[in-house]
Amino acid sequence: AREAWASAGESWRDAIAPALTALADARPTAINLHWAIERMRATFHAIDGNPEPDLLAEALAIHHEDVAANQAMARAGAARLGTECAVLTHCNTGALATGGVGTALGVIRAAHAERRLRAVFACEARPWLQGARLTAWELEKEGIPFRLIADSAAALTIERERVDWVIVGADRIACNGDVANKIGTWNLALIARALGARMMVVAPTSTFDPDCPDGDSIPIEQRPEEELLELGGQRIAAPGTRASNPVFDVTRARYIDCIVTERGVFDNPAERPPGEILKSLDQAG
């Protein structure tokens, strides 16, 4: 916005449009970014002159709301865990991914502070390794004892370590409670159901998409093949190998035990008809 004002003056709204499109196109699956862009865009009509002060104020408001929402979700989710609980999480959902303490990782932080946890496991989260690079870094910095596992070790870990809860975030939640999240989440939900663990999704209400009826309507971002075929810039796959690299998958609502938001915890989302979760959120507000 600063650059658009400097280059185009009162025509800054037109000048900034390509940047907004580029931002939205960067993450087709994650709805929070689209929500934030539209919230910022909604302030455009009332701005007179240099847009920077008003847009900065709105951005700071979003940040402060996210910090408060993270804290509310952390408390509500931790209260569901009981005591002497073993949990497993996937990808990165902490302070590095949010404005506050995090979503799923925020719950784990709160549960640790309340001495509810006996074990924490973090999946490596291939192919970007967010679990190994980011979640592990955050847990270590927080002094939370944990073990990193290969994604393919989840079933063995959940069974042998008697994991009680799989706790994940979300990039988009459909009206019927279907959830898009980091690739591998769907695997974890199936394993958890088979082995008696429970599945908790932790996400702010901005993750709900009122225009998306179910998981089949959620676009799945595809990333370059090289992310699977190479490691650290070195080829690891056999010559001639092709790869499919979806970044997200969809976990059906019937495999989710609860969705934790800053406005309440919603149990058994599959038992509600499409759209009812959103309506209940609005009524609660």
Side-chain angles (χ1 to χ4, degrees), residues 134-164:
L134 307 179
T135 299
W137 184 86
E138 290 200 51
L139 290 169
E140 176 66 24
K141 290 293 183 182
E142 288 290 318
I144 300 175
F146 73 99
R147 279 175 280 176
L148 183 71
I149 65 169
D151 294 352
S152 53
L156 182 68
T157 300
I158 290 173
E159 181 179 50
R160 293 199 173 178
E161 302 289 345
R162 296 178 290 112
V163 169
D164 301 286

mmCIF file of all heavy atoms in Angstrom, residues 134-164:
data_model
loop_
_atom_site.group_PDB
_atom_site.id
_atom_site.type_symbol
_atom_site.label_atom_id
_atom_site.label_comp_id
_atom_site.label_asym_id
_atom_site.label_seq_id
_atom_site.Cartn_x
_atom_site.Cartn_y
_atom_site.Cartn_z
ATOM 1 N N LEU A 134 10.520 -26.720 12.543
ATOM 2 C CA LEU A 134 9.823 -25.629 13.218
ATOM 3 C C LEU A 134 9.196 -26.059 14.543
ATOM 4 O O LEU A 134 9.461 -25.470 15.588
ATOM 5 C CB LEU A 134 8.758 -25.046 12.290
ATOM 6 C CG LEU A 134 9.240 -24.616 10.901
ATOM 7 C CD1 LEU A 134 8.079 -24.077 10.075
ATOM 8 C CD2 LEU A 134 10.348 -23.587 11.007
ATOM 9 N N THR A 135 8.329 -27.083 14.490
ATOM 10 C CA THR A 135 7.669 -27.527 15.727
ATOM 11 C C THR A 135 8.685 -28.003 16.747
ATOM 12 O O THR A 135 8.593 -27.676 17.941
ATOM 13 C CB THR A 135 6.647 -28.627 15.416
ATOM 14 O OG1 THR A 135 5.656 -28.112 14.528
ATOM 15 C CG2 THR A 135 5.984 -29.132 16.683
ATOM 16 N N ALA A 136 9.661 -28.777 16.300
ATOM 17 C CA ALA A 136 10.694 -29.257 17.221
ATOM 18 C C ALA A 136 11.451 -28.087 17.839
ATOM 19 O O ALA A 136 11.778 -28.092 19.038
ATOM 20 C CB ALA A 136 11.658 -30.186 16.477
ATOM 21 N N TRP A 137 11.735 -27.061 17.043
ATOM 22 C CA TRP A 137 12.438 -25.867 17.548
ATOM 23 C C TRP A 137 11.603 -25.180 18.612
ATOM 24 O O TRP A 137 12.132 -24.788 19.674
ATOM 25 C CB TRP A 137 12.718 -24.925 16.380
ATOM 26 C CG TRP A 137 13.514 -23.714 16.741
ATOM 27 C CD1 TRP A 137 14.874 -23.605 16.808
ATOM 28 C CD2 TRP A 137 12.977 -22.425 17.084
ATOM 29 N NE1 TRP A 137 15.228 -22.321 17.177
ATOM 30 C CE2 TRP A 137 14.094 -21.577 17.352
ATOM 31 C CE3 TRP A 137 11.695 -21.911 17.192
ATOM 32 C CZ2 TRP A 137 13.934 -20.242 17.719
ATOM 33 C CZ3 TRP A 137 11.537 -20.583 17.561
ATOM 34 C CH2 TRP A 137 12.642 -19.759 17.820
ATOM 35 N N GLU A 138 10.293 -25.022 18.350
ATOM 36 C CA GLU A 138 9.427 -24.355 19.329
ATOM 37 C C GLU A 138 9.304 -25.154 20.618
ATOM 38 O O GLU A 138 9.362 -24.593 21.722
ATOM 39 C CB GLU A 138 8.038 -24.109 18.730
ATOM 40 C CG GLU A 138 8.018 -23.058 17.639
ATOM 41 C CD GLU A 138 6.618 -22.498 17.416
ATOM 42 O OE1 GLU A 138 5.978 -22.090 18.407
ATOM 43 O OE2 GLU A 138 6.162 -22.476 16.257
ATOM 44 N N LEU A 139 9.102 -26.462 20.506
ATOM 45 C CA LEU A 139 8.961 -27.291 21.702
ATOM 46 C C LEU A 139 10.235 -27.262 22.536
ATOM 47 O O LEU A 139 10.188 -27.187 23.771
ATOM 48 C CB LEU A 139 8.613 -28.727 21.304
ATOM 49 C CG LEU A 139 7.211 -28.943 20.732
ATOM 50 C CD1 LEU A 139 7.084 -30.337 20.129
ATOM 51 C CD2 LEU A 139 6.139 -28.734 21.798
ATOM 52 N N GLU A 140 11.376 -27.303 21.869
ATOM 53 C CA GLU A 140 12.652 -27.237 22.583
ATOM 54 C C GLU A 140 12.802 -25.902 23.302
ATOM 55 O O GLU A 140 13.213 -25.843 24.466
ATOM 56 C CB GLU A 140 13.801 -27.445 21.590
ATOM 57 C CG GLU A 140 15.190 -27.307 22.193
ATOM 58 C CD GLU A 140 15.502 -28.386 23.213
ATOM 59 O OE1 GLU A 140 14.885 -29.471 23.157
ATOM 60 O OE2 GLU A 140 16.359 -28.129 24.080
ATOM 61 N N LYS A 141 12.466 -24.803 22.613
ATOM 62 C CA LYS A 141 12.570 -23.478 23.222
ATOM 63 C C LYS A 141 11.648 -23.330 24.424
ATOM 64 O O LYS A 141 11.957 -22.606 25.381
ATOM 65 C CB LYS A 141 12.254 -22.400 22.184
ATOM 66 C CG LYS A 141 13.307 -22.234 21.105
ATOM 67 C CD LYS A 141 14.605 -21.691 21.671
ATOM 68 C CE LYS A 141 15.623 -21.466 20.571
ATOM 69 N NZ LYS A 141 16.917 -20.973 21.110
ATOM 70 N N GLU A 142 10.487 -24.013 24.372
ATOM 71 C CA GLU A 142 9.516 -23.929 25.467
ATOM 72 C C GLU A 142 9.847 -24.888 26.606
ATOM 73 O O GLU A 142 9.183 -24.879 27.647
ATOM 74 C CB GLU A 142 8.112 -24.236 24.943
ATOM 75 C CG GLU A 142 7.525 -23.149 24.072
ATOM 76 C CD GLU A 142 7.179 -21.900 24.860
ATOM 77 O OE1 GLU A 142 6.637 -22.030 25.975
ATOM 78 O OE2 GLU A 142 7.463 -20.796 24.370
ATOM 79 N N GLY A 143 10.849 -25.744 26.407
ATOM 80 C CA GLY A 143 11.206 -26.705 27.435
ATOM 81 C C GLY A 143 10.193 -27.820 27.594
ATOM 82 O O GLY A 143 10.042 -28.397 28.685
ATOM 83 N N ILE A 144 9.483 -28.140 26.507
ATOM 84 C CA ILE A 144 8.476 -29.208 26.544
ATOM 85 C C ILE A 144 9.115 -30.503 26.052
ATOM 86 O O ILE A 144 9.539 -30.578 24.893
ATOM 87 C CB ILE A 144 7.267 -28.846 25.661
ATOM 88 C CG1 ILE A 144 6.616 -27.555 26.154
ATOM 89 C CG2 ILE A 144 6.253 -29.986 25.644
ATOM 90 C CD1 ILE A 144 5.483 -27.052 25.270
ATOM 91 N N PRO A 145 9.231 -31.529 26.877
ATOM 92 C CA PRO A 145 9.819 -32.795 26.433
ATOM 93 C C PRO A 145 8.989 -33.400 25.293
ATOM 94 O O PRO A 145 7.762 -33.439 25.359
ATOM 95 C CB PRO A 145 9.766 -33.675 27.684
ATOM 96 C CG PRO A 145 9.651 -32.720 28.829
ATOM 97 C CD PRO A 145 8.846 -31.567 28.300
ATOM 98 N N PHE A 146 9.668 -33.863 24.252
ATOM 99 C CA PHE A 146 8.962 -34.423 23.111
ATOM 100 C C PHE A 146 9.893 -35.364 22.364
ATOM 101 O O PHE A 146 11.112 -35.380 22.589
ATOM 102 C CB PHE A 146 8.494 -33.315 22.159
ATOM 103 C CG PHE A 146 9.610 -32.696 21.358
ATOM 104 C CD1 PHE A 146 9.848 -33.090 20.045
ATOM 105 C CD2 PHE A 146 10.450 -31.739 21.922
ATOM 106 C CE1 PHE A 146 10.895 -32.541 19.320
ATOM 107 C CE2 PHE A 146 11.490 -31.181 21.199
ATOM 108 C CZ PHE A 146 11.721 -31.582 19.891
ATOM 109 N N ARG A 147 9.289 -36.126 21.447
ATOM 110 C CA ARG A 147 10.064 -36.946 20.529
ATOM 111 C C ARG A 147 9.556 -36.714 19.112
ATOM 112 O O ARG A 147 8.349 -36.664 18.875
ATOM 113 C CB ARG A 147 9.965 -38.422 20.904
ATOM 114 C CG ARG A 147 10.910 -38.818 22.033
ATOM 115 C CD ARG A 147 10.718 -40.248 22.468
ATOM 116 N NE ARG A 147 9.563 -40.364 23.362
ATOM 117 C CZ ARG A 147 9.106 -41.521 23.833
ATOM 118 N NH1 ARG A 147 9.663 -42.659 23.448
ATOM 119 N NH2 ARG A 147 8.070 -41.547 24.646
ATOM 120 N N LEU A 148 10.482 -36.585 18.197
ATOM 121 C CA LEU A 148 10.173 -36.438 16.778
ATOM 122 C C LEU A 148 10.065 -37.830 16.164
ATOM 123 O O LEU A 148 10.883 -38.716 16.458
ATOM 124 C CB LEU A 148 11.282 -35.646 16.090
ATOM 125 C CG LEU A 148 11.087 -35.330 14.607
ATOM 126 C CD1 LEU A 148 9.989 -34.280 14.424
ATOM 127 C CD2 LEU A 148 12.407 -34.836 14.003
ATOM 128 N N ILE A 149 9.046 -38.022 15.312
ATOM 129 C CA ILE A 149 8.889 -39.314 14.647
ATOM 130 C C ILE A 149 8.741 -39.112 13.150
ATOM 131 O O ILE A 149 8.313 -38.056 12.685
ATOM 132 C CB ILE A 149 7.671 -40.106 15.173
ATOM 133 C CG1 ILE A 149 6.361 -39.372 14.845
ATOM 134 C CG2 ILE A 149 7.792 -40.367 16.671
ATOM 135 C CD1 ILE A 149 5.107 -40.202 15.087
ATOM 136 N N ALA A 150 9.109 -40.131 12.373
ATOM 137 C CA ALA A 150 8.818 -40.126 10.947
ATOM 138 C C ALA A 150 7.311 -40.192 10.754
ATOM 139 O O ALA A 150 6.595 -40.816 11.556
ATOM 140 C CB ALA A 150 9.493 -41.313 10.263
ATOM 141 N N ASP A 151 6.811 -39.568 9.711
ATOM 142 C CA ASP A 151 5.369 -39.605 9.452
ATOM 143 C C ASP A 151 4.858 -41.035 9.409
ATOM 144 O O ASP A 151 3.761 -41.347 9.900
ATOM 145 C CB ASP A 151 5.055 -38.911 8.122
ATOM 146 C CG ASP A 151 5.340 -37.419 8.155
ATOM 147 O OD1 ASP A 151 5.642 -36.891 9.246
ATOM 148 O OD2 ASP A 151 5.267 -36.788 7.087
ATOM 149 N N SER A 152 5.649 -41.922 8.831
ATOM 150 C CA SER A 152 5.220 -43.315 8.664
ATOM 151 C C SER A 152 5.264 -44.111 9.959
ATOM 152 O O SER A 152 4.839 -45.274 9.988
ATOM 153 C CB SER A 152 6.096 -43.999 7.603
ATOM 154 O OG SER A 152 7.468 -43.848 7.911
ATOM 155 N N ALA A 153 5.763 -43.514 11.038
ATOM 156 C CA ALA A 153 5.808 -44.194 12.331
ATOM 157 C C ALA A 153 4.605 -43.873 13.199
ATOM 158 O O ALA A 153 4.541 -44.300 14.360
ATOM 159 C CB ALA A 153 7.091 -43.826 13.075
ATOM 160 N N ALA A 154 3.624 -43.156 12.659
ATOM 161 C CA ALA A 154 2.504 -42.685 13.483
ATOM 162 C C ALA A 154 1.680 -43.825 14.060
ATOM 163 O O ALA A 154 1.329 -43.810 15.242
ATOM 164 C CB ALA A 154 1.621 -41.748 12.662
ATOM 165 N N ALA A 155 1.346 -44.808 13.244
ATOM 166 C CA ALA A 155 0.494 -45.895 13.735
ATOM 167 C C ALA A 155 1.169 -46.647 14.878
ATOM 168 O O ALA A 155 0.553 -46.917 15.918
ATOM 169 C CB ALA A 155 0.147 -46.849 12.595
ATOM 170 N N LEU A 156 2.419 -47.007 14.697
ATOM 171 C CA LEU A 156 3.152 -47.718 15.743
ATOM 172 C C LEU A 156 3.239 -46.878 17.009
ATOM 173 O O LEU A 156 3.043 -47.375 18.123
ATOM 174 C CB LEU A 156 4.558 -48.072 15.248
ATOM 175 C CG LEU A 156 5.422 -48.857 16.229
ATOM 176 C CD1 LEU A 156 4.860 -50.257 16.433
ATOM 177 C CD2 LEU A 156 6.865 -48.922 15.742
ATOM 178 N N THR A 157 3.506 -45.589 16.840
ATOM 179 C CA THR A 157 3.631 -44.704 17.993
ATOM 180 C C THR A 157 2.311 -44.557 18.736
ATOM 181 O O THR A 157 2.269 -44.643 19.970
ATOM 182 C CB THR A 157 4.133 -43.319 17.536
ATOM 183 O OG1 THR A 157 5.401 -43.461 16.899
ATOM 184 C CG2 THR A 157 4.274 -42.374 18.719
ATOM 185 N N ILE A 158 1.231 -44.335 18.004
ATOM 186 C CA ILE A 158 -0.077 -44.168 18.647
ATOM 187 C C ILE A 158 -0.464 -45.417 19.417
ATOM 188 O O ILE A 158 -0.988 -45.337 20.538
ATOM 189 C CB ILE A 158 -1.146 -43.812 17.585
ATOM 190 C CG1 ILE A 158 -0.901 -42.390 17.072
ATOM 191 C CG2 ILE A 158 -2.556 -43.943 18.162
ATOM 192 C CD1 ILE A 158 -1.785 -42.000 15.907
ATOM 193 N N GLU A 159 -0.169 -46.585 18.854
ATOM 194 C CA GLU A 159 -0.535 -47.835 19.521
ATOM 195 C C GLU A 159 0.358 -48.117 20.724
ATOM 196 O O GLU A 159 -0.134 -48.330 21.839
ATOM 197 C CB GLU A 159 -0.454 -48.994 18.537
ATOM 198 C CG GLU A 159 -0.855 -50.333 19.160
ATOM 199 C CD GLU A 159 -0.792 -51.456 18.155
ATOM 200 O OE1 GLU A 159 0.242 -51.595 17.469
ATOM 201 O OE2 GLU A 159 -1.783 -52.208 18.052
ATOM 202 N N ARG A 160 1.657 -48.110 20.526
ATOM 203 C CA ARG A 160 2.580 -48.544 21.581
ATOM 204 C C ARG A 160 2.758 -47.507 22.682
ATOM 205 O O ARG A 160 3.012 -47.867 23.835
ATOM 206 C CB ARG A 160 3.931 -48.914 20.978
ATOM 207 C CG ARG A 160 3.858 -50.154 20.099
ATOM 208 C CD ARG A 160 5.210 -50.782 19.892
ATOM 209 N NE ARG A 160 5.081 -52.052 19.194
ATOM 210 C CZ ARG A 160 6.113 -52.822 18.846
ATOM 211 N NH1 ARG A 160 7.345 -52.421 19.150
ATOM 212 N NH2 ARG A 160 5.922 -53.961 18.211
ATOM 213 N N GLU A 161 2.633 -46.231 22.322
ATOM 214 C CA GLU A 161 2.794 -45.176 23.324
ATOM 215 C C GLU A 161 1.464 -44.748 23.933
ATOM 216 O O GLU A 161 1.415 -43.820 24.732
ATOM 217 C CB GLU A 161 3.493 -43.961 22.715
ATOM 218 C CG GLU A 161 4.862 -44.244 22.129
ATOM 219 C CD GLU A 161 5.905 -44.526 23.204
ATOM 220 O OE1 GLU A 161 5.632 -44.231 24.388
ATOM 221 O OE2 GLU A 161 6.982 -45.038 22.847
ATOM 222 N N ARG A 162 0.400 -45.430 23.518
ATOM 223 C CA ARG A 162 -0.952 -45.166 24.043
ATOM 224 C C ARG A 162 -1.291 -43.674 23.937
ATOM 225 O O ARG A 162 -1.671 -43.024 24.913
ATOM 226 C CB ARG A 162 -1.068 -45.655 25.483
ATOM 227 C CG ARG A 162 -0.905 -47.142 25.636
ATOM 228 C CD ARG A 162 -0.963 -47.612 27.077
ATOM 229 N NE ARG A 162 0.218 -47.189 27.812
ATOM 230 C CZ ARG A 162 0.208 -46.294 28.783
ATOM 231 N NH1 ARG A 162 -0.941 -45.716 29.140
ATOM 232 N NH2 ARG A 162 1.314 -45.963 29.413
ATOM 233 N N VAL A 163 -1.160 -43.165 22.722
ATOM 234 C CA VAL A 163 -1.490 -41.765 22.463
ATOM 235 C C VAL A 163 -2.995 -41.555 22.629
ATOM 236 O O VAL A 163 -3.808 -42.309 22.080
ATOM 237 C CB VAL A 163 -1.032 -41.349 21.054
ATOM 238 C CG1 VAL A 163 -1.599 -39.979 20.674
ATOM 239 C CG2 VAL A 163 0.496 -41.343 20.982
ATOM 240 N N ASP A 164 -3.369 -40.547 23.392
ATOM 241 C CA ASP A 164 -4.778 -40.266 23.667
ATOM 242 C C ASP A 164 -5.401 -39.346 22.625
ATOM 243 O O ASP A 164 -6.559 -39.526 22.252
ATOM 244 C CB ASP A 164 -4.912 -39.613 25.054
ATOM 245 C CG ASP A 164 -4.361 -40.497 26.149
ATOM 246 O OD1 ASP A 164 -5.009 -41.489 26.488
ATOM 247 O OD2 ASP A 164 -3.263 -40.184 26.656
#
